[in-house]
mmCIF file of all heavy atoms in Angstrom:
data_model
loop_
_atom_site.group_PDB
_atom_site.id
_atom_site.type_symbol
_atom_site.label_atom_id
_atom_site.label_comp_id
_atom_site.label_asym_id
_atom_site.label_seq_id
_atom_site.Cartn_x
_atom_site.Cartn_y
_atom_site.Cartn_z
ATOM 1 N N ASN A 41 -4.547 15.981 -17.334
ATOM 2 C CA ASN A 41 -5.698 16.729 -16.861
ATOM 3 C C ASN A 41 -6.758 15.792 -16.208
ATOM 4 O O ASN A 41 -7.978 15.901 -16.435
ATOM 5 C CB ASN A 41 -6.349 17.548 -17.986
ATOM 6 C CG ASN A 41 -7.249 18.622 -17.469
ATOM 7 O OD1 ASN A 41 -7.083 19.129 -16.357
ATOM 8 N ND2 ASN A 41 -8.261 19.033 -18.239
ATOM 9 N N SER A 59 -6.973 -2.212 -19.695
ATOM 10 C CA SER A 59 -7.449 -2.720 -21.018
ATOM 11 C C SER A 59 -6.475 -2.437 -22.124
ATOM 12 O O SER A 59 -6.157 -3.347 -22.925
ATOM 13 C CB SER A 59 -8.807 -2.123 -21.303
ATOM 14 O OG SER A 59 -9.260 -2.518 -22.573
ATOM 15 N N LYS A 64 -3.980 -7.159 -15.917
ATOM 16 C CA LYS A 64 -5.026 -7.401 -14.901
ATOM 17 C C LYS A 64 -4.826 -6.567 -13.669
ATOM 18 O O LYS A 64 -5.750 -6.333 -12.905
ATOM 19 C CB LYS A 64 -5.014 -8.878 -14.552
ATOM 20 C CG LYS A 64 -5.418 -9.794 -15.707
ATOM 21 C CD LYS A 64 -5.383 -11.251 -15.327
ATOM 22 C CE LYS A 64 -5.796 -12.127 -16.494
ATOM 23 N NZ LYS A 64 -5.681 -13.592 -16.145
ATOM 24 N N VAL A 65 -3.567 -6.133 -13.416
ATOM 25 C CA VAL A 65 -3.250 -5.336 -12.240
ATOM 26 C C VAL A 65 -2.288 -4.219 -12.665
ATOM 27 O O VAL A 65 -1.371 -4.433 -13.420
ATOM 28 C CB VAL A 65 -2.512 -6.199 -11.171
ATOM 29 C CG1 VAL A 65 -2.222 -5.341 -9.934
ATOM 30 C CG2 VAL A 65 -3.375 -7.388 -10.765
ATOM 31 N N GLU A 90 2.620 19.960 3.435
ATOM 32 C CA GLU A 90 1.878 19.094 2.532
ATOM 33 C C GLU A 90 2.549 17.711 2.479
ATOM 34 O O GLU A 90 3.755 17.605 2.242
ATOM 35 C CB GLU A 90 1.818 19.707 1.138
ATOM 36 C CG GLU A 90 1.030 18.834 0.165
ATOM 37 C CD GLU A 90 0.912 19.425 -1.237
ATOM 38 O OE1 GLU A 90 1.582 20.448 -1.513
ATOM 39 O OE2 GLU A 90 0.145 18.866 -2.020
ATOM 40 N N LEU A 108 -3.850 -11.076 0.280
ATOM 41 C CA LEU A 108 -3.109 -12.136 0.924
ATOM 42 C C LEU A 108 -2.071 -11.659 1.873
ATOM 43 O O LEU A 108 -1.463 -10.597 1.668
ATOM 44 C CB LEU A 108 -2.403 -12.999 -0.172
ATOM 45 C CG LEU A 108 -3.194 -13.355 -1.419
ATOM 46 C CD1 LEU A 108 -2.277 -14.096 -2.395
ATOM 47 C CD2 LEU A 108 -4.399 -14.187 -1.074
ATOM 48 N N SER A 117 -2.732 -5.308 14.492
ATOM 49 C CA SER A 117 -3.825 -4.383 14.763
ATOM 50 C C SER A 117 -4.654 -4.144 13.519
ATOM 51 O O SER A 117 -4.211 -4.559 12.408
ATOM 52 C CB SER A 117 -3.258 -3.017 15.264
ATOM 53 O OG SER A 117 -2.236 -2.566 14.406
ATOM 54 N N GLU A 138 14.591 -14.163 11.092
ATOM 55 C CA GLU A 138 15.947 -14.144 11.625
ATOM 56 C C GLU A 138 16.138 -13.002 12.637
ATOM 57 O O GLU A 138 17.061 -12.199 12.558
ATOM 58 C CB GLU A 138 16.956 -13.968 10.479
ATOM 59 C CG GLU A 138 17.014 -15.173 9.569
ATOM 60 C CD GLU A 138 18.105 -15.088 8.516
ATOM 61 O OE1 GLU A 138 19.048 -14.307 8.708
ATOM 62 O OE2 GLU A 138 18.010 -15.844 7.481
ATOM 63 N N ASP A 150 -12.357 -3.870 2.280
ATOM 64 C CA ASP A 150 -13.767 -3.712 2.569
ATOM 65 C C ASP A 150 -14.085 -3.918 4.025
ATOM 66 O O ASP A 150 -13.254 -4.427 4.781
ATOM 67 C CB ASP A 150 -14.624 -4.642 1.657
ATOM 68 C CG ASP A 150 -14.526 -6.109 2.003
ATOM 69 O OD1 ASP A 150 -13.891 -6.489 3.042
ATOM 70 O OD2 ASP A 150 -15.080 -6.932 1.266
ATOM 71 N N SER A 175 -15.034 2.452 -3.377
ATOM 72 C CA SER A 175 -15.299 3.787 -2.827
ATOM 73 C C SER A 175 -16.773 3.863 -2.479
ATOM 74 O O SER A 175 -17.597 3.209 -3.108
ATOM 75 C CB SER A 175 -14.941 4.851 -3.877
ATOM 76 O OG SER A 175 -15.850 4.755 -4.969
ATOM 77 N N PRO A 183 -10.665 1.321 -6.564
ATOM 78 C CA PRO A 183 -10.234 0.159 -5.762
ATOM 79 C C PRO A 183 -8.769 -0.148 -5.985
ATOM 80 O O PRO A 183 -8.309 -0.230 -7.097
ATOM 81 C CB PRO A 183 -11.135 -0.960 -6.257
ATOM 82 C CG PRO A 183 -12.322 -0.300 -6.803
ATOM 83 C CD PRO A 183 -11.852 0.998 -7.393
ATOM 84 N N GLY A 198 -3.311 -0.122 13.757
ATOM 85 C CA GLY A 198 -4.302 -0.066 12.699
ATOM 86 C C GLY A 198 -4.143 1.075 11.729
ATOM 87 O O GLY A 198 -5.017 1.344 10.921
ATOM 88 N N GLU A 208 10.071 15.071 5.627
ATOM 89 C CA GLU A 208 10.103 13.819 6.356
ATOM 90 C C GLU A 208 10.636 12.649 5.564
ATOM 91 O O GLU A 208 10.792 11.545 6.078
ATOM 92 C CB GLU A 208 8.675 13.433 6.785
ATOM 93 C CG GLU A 208 7.936 14.424 7.637
ATOM 94 C CD GLU A 208 6.453 14.137 7.710
ATOM 95 O OE1 GLU A 208 5.849 13.862 6.654
ATOM 96 O OE2 GLU A 208 5.938 14.192 8.826
ATOM 97 N N ARG A 214 13.689 5.387 4.922
ATOM 98 C CA ARG A 214 14.451 4.382 5.678
ATOM 99 C C ARG A 214 13.497 3.459 6.413
ATOM 100 O O ARG A 214 13.739 2.241 6.463
ATOM 101 C CB ARG A 214 15.417 5.060 6.655
ATOM 102 C CG ARG A 214 16.646 5.663 6.082
ATOM 103 C CD ARG A 214 17.718 5.895 7.182
ATOM 104 N NE ARG A 214 17.162 6.447 8.415
ATOM 105 C CZ ARG A 214 17.047 7.754 8.680
ATOM 106 N NH1 ARG A 214 17.440 8.643 7.783
ATOM 107 N NH2 ARG A 214 16.529 8.148 9.837
ATOM 108 N N LEU A 222 10.381 -7.106 -1.689
ATOM 109 C CA LEU A 222 9.724 -8.356 -1.292
ATOM 110 C C LEU A 222 8.930 -8.987 -2.407
ATOM 111 O O LEU A 222 9.029 -10.187 -2.670
ATOM 112 C CB LEU A 222 8.811 -8.076 -0.088
ATOM 113 C CG LEU A 222 8.003 -9.207 0.515
ATOM 114 C CD1 LEU A 222 8.946 -10.280 1.038
ATOM 115 C CD2 LEU A 222 7.097 -8.679 1.606
ATOM 116 N N GLN A 226 8.325 -7.492 -11.826
ATOM 117 C CA GLN A 226 9.253 -6.992 -12.848
ATOM 118 C C GLN A 226 8.708 -5.778 -13.575
ATOM 119 O O GLN A 226 7.517 -5.729 -13.893
ATOM 120 C CB GLN A 226 9.514 -8.106 -13.864
ATOM 121 C CG GLN A 226 10.221 -9.306 -13.249
ATOM 122 C CD GLN A 226 11.554 -8.977 -12.600
ATOM 123 O OE1 GLN A 226 12.376 -8.279 -13.190
ATOM 124 N NE2 GLN A 226 11.757 -9.467 -11.401
#
Side-chain angles (χ1 to χ4, degrees):
N41 197 27
S59 176
K64 296 178 180 177
V65 181
E90 181 178 10
L108 315 176
S117 50
E138 294 186 19
D150 71 6
S175 66
E208 303 166 314
R214 283 198 318 269
L222 179 61
Q226 296 301 314

